[in-house]
Amino acid sequence: MKSVLFFCVVVFSMFGNSAYGADEQTRAALEKMFSLTAMDKKIDRLYQRIESEVGHVVAKMDVPPSKVPELERQFRRLSSAMRAQMSWQQLKEPMIEAYSQVFSADEIEQLVAFYQSPVGRKLVEKSPELNDVPLQLIEKQMLLSLLPQVDQLRHEMTVEYAQLD
């Protein structure tokens, strides 16, 4: 009995500050913030991006053309399973818990006020295109500076390897 009681105390102390024990005001504020930031749409865009990347990977795979439709079908099944198991509805409670552990109720209210402001709404509206900027910059930097270096290293390695014989 003591061990069960001890276990319950440990479990409740670990999750005492979680959203599952958070007051209704904090929960409501977080749900409002997630609505204002279109969190469900962010999750959907993430899956769209993953599916797009999988399409690029399939196109680059050395698979006989007759097998491509089956491979694509398998990837669609995997994507469907991912969406079902990791939908916004599945992720919402853990996200509420995470945010409630990082931000106080007052800070969450301030975030809600920010996302209700014109600049907050603009941030949400422009975030999808801004999220692509770092990736585009990395790709550009790779093309401009890294690939020539890789070519140079490949050339040097080829020369060094040839000298080993």
Side-chain angles (χ1 to χ4, degrees), residues 156-165:
E156 290 171 8
M157 291 171 63
T158 302
V159 169
E160 290 173 16
Y161 182 73
Q163 291 175 353
L164 292 175
D165 289 335

Side-chain angles (χ1 to χ4, degrees), residues 31-109:
E31 288 182 2
K32 175 86 170 169
M33 186 182 78
F34 292 150
S35 175
L36 290 168
T37 59
M39 190 67 79
D40 58 336
K41 290 179 177 62
K42 287 180 184 180
I43 300 296
D44 193 47
R45 280 192 300 273
L46 174 65
Y47 285 123
Q48 289 171 359
R49 177 175 243 142
I50 291 170
E51 290 163 359
S52 173
E53 290 302 318
V54 166
H56 294 305
V57 169
V58 169
K60 292 180 182 178
M61 291 175 69
D62 188 26
V63 176
S66 63
K67 301 288 185 191
V68 169
E70 176 60 22
L71 187 60
E72 289 174 342
R73 188 180 73 77
Q74 293 298 332
F75 277 120
R76 282 193 303 275
R77 286 181 59 205
L78 176 61
S79 175
S80 177
M82 278 179 29
R83 282 179 182 260
Q85 293 302 312
M86 294 184 289
S87 69
W88 171 239
Q89 289 306 312
Q90 300 292 107
L91 297 173
K92 184 177 171 182
E93 287 300 322
M95 292 291 286
I96 289 174
E97 180 178 348
Y99 275 75
S100 69
Q101 289 179 1
V102 172
F103 297 105
S104 69
D106 183 56
E107 291 169 328
I108 294 166
E109 291 292 338

